[in-house]
Amino acid sequence: MAAPIREGTVAVKRQNAHLRRGCGRRGFTLAEVIVSAALLAIGFTALVASFGHESVVIQRGEDITLATFLAEEIRDKAFQMAFADALDLDGTTYSPASLSTGVSEDLSNWSQRISVTPVSSSDLNEEVEAAEAQAARLTVEVFAGGNPVLTQTYYIFDFAGVPFTEDGEGGDDDDDDDDDDDGDG
């Protein structure tokens, strides 16, 4: 038989200490709760801030897409013109922006500024006089609300006199076949 435990012994003191602590269950201290709340607040703030940034990025992407389309409209217009007429586009600004389709879009906030620089066809970095140019640098700047959105640069060439083009000499455009179709056999 085990000896009865007396009130002042070490075993009783350990047992009583265990009961005072909550039978092995331990809660969070105030410091731990404050640190975890601070970490949650920082994470939540970053999450909310990213939503605002995301909408700005989406709007910027839409603006760049529309600006690219508007720059390509000017490029297409210049490519369809005679070379000398394309050179005359230098300094032109379309405000509101111009569409080659003629369809009226809500582009009142948009504008296109065009500069055309005659360059040497053998060295596109060398500027030349317009009278001797066979190539030109076409730069289109697109603005939204007066703020620059996009700048695109294209090169246009004078194909007059180049064989095998609509404007050039050369090529066999007439239908003079060498076949003898008069029925002689």
Side-chain angles (χ1 to χ4, degrees):
M1 171 172 229
I5 300 176
R6 295 185 310 199
E7 188 61 35
T9 64
V10 175
V12 172
K13 288 182 184 177
R14 279 191 206 145
Q15 183 181 9
N16 290 339
H18 180 66
L19 290 173
R20 280 182 291 205
R21 281 185 277 159
C23 295
R25 288 181 286 168
R26 183 172 180 251
F28 294 107
T29 65
L30 180 61
E32 291 171 329
V33 171
I34 291 173
V35 169
S36 62
L39 289 174
L40 283 173
I42 290 170
F44 185 71
T45 303
L47 184 64
V48 169
S50 70
F51 285 126
H53 181 68
E54 179 181 298
S55 64
V56 170
V57 169
I58 290 172
Q59 182 60 50
R60 179 74 176 144
E62 290 173 357
D63 287 351
I64 289 173
T65 301
L66 179 57
T68 301
F69 173 73
L70 292 173
E72 290 173 351
E73 285 285 302
I74 299 298
R75 178 204 60 195
D76 292 346
K77 184 183 284 191
F79 283 178
Q80 293 172 2
M81 296 177 155
F83 184 74
D85 294 337
L87 290 176
D88 291 338
L89 287 174
D90 187 38
T92 303
T93 298
Y94 293 105
S95 182
S98 170
L99 292 175
S100 62
T101 60
V103 176
S104 177
E105 298 284 332
D106 183 24
L107 299 173
S108 60
N109 196 32
W110 292 83
S111 62
Q112 302 146 303
R113 184 169 54 198
I114 305 166
S115 65
V116 182
T117 306
V119 295
S120 168
S121 59
S122 59
D123 181 3
L124 297 175
N125 292 317
E126 179 186 343
E127 295 182 14
V128 297
E129 294 296 322
E132 62 188 61
Q134 291 184 330
R137 184 181 315 115
L138 171 70
T139 302
V140 181
E141 295 173 282
V142 182
F143 298 86
N147 298 318
V149 176
L150 179 79
T151 300
Q152 290 280 52
T153 299
Y154 308 98
Y155 288 92
I156 54 177
F157 296 89
D158 184 6
F159 288 112
V162 175
F164 309 110
T165 64
E166 290 180 19
D167 295 338
E169 305 292 324
D172 194 8
D173 291 339
D174 55 356
D175 288 334
D176 289 336
D177 292 337
D178 291 332
D179 297 342
D180 192 353
D181 291 333
D182 60 353
D184 294 342

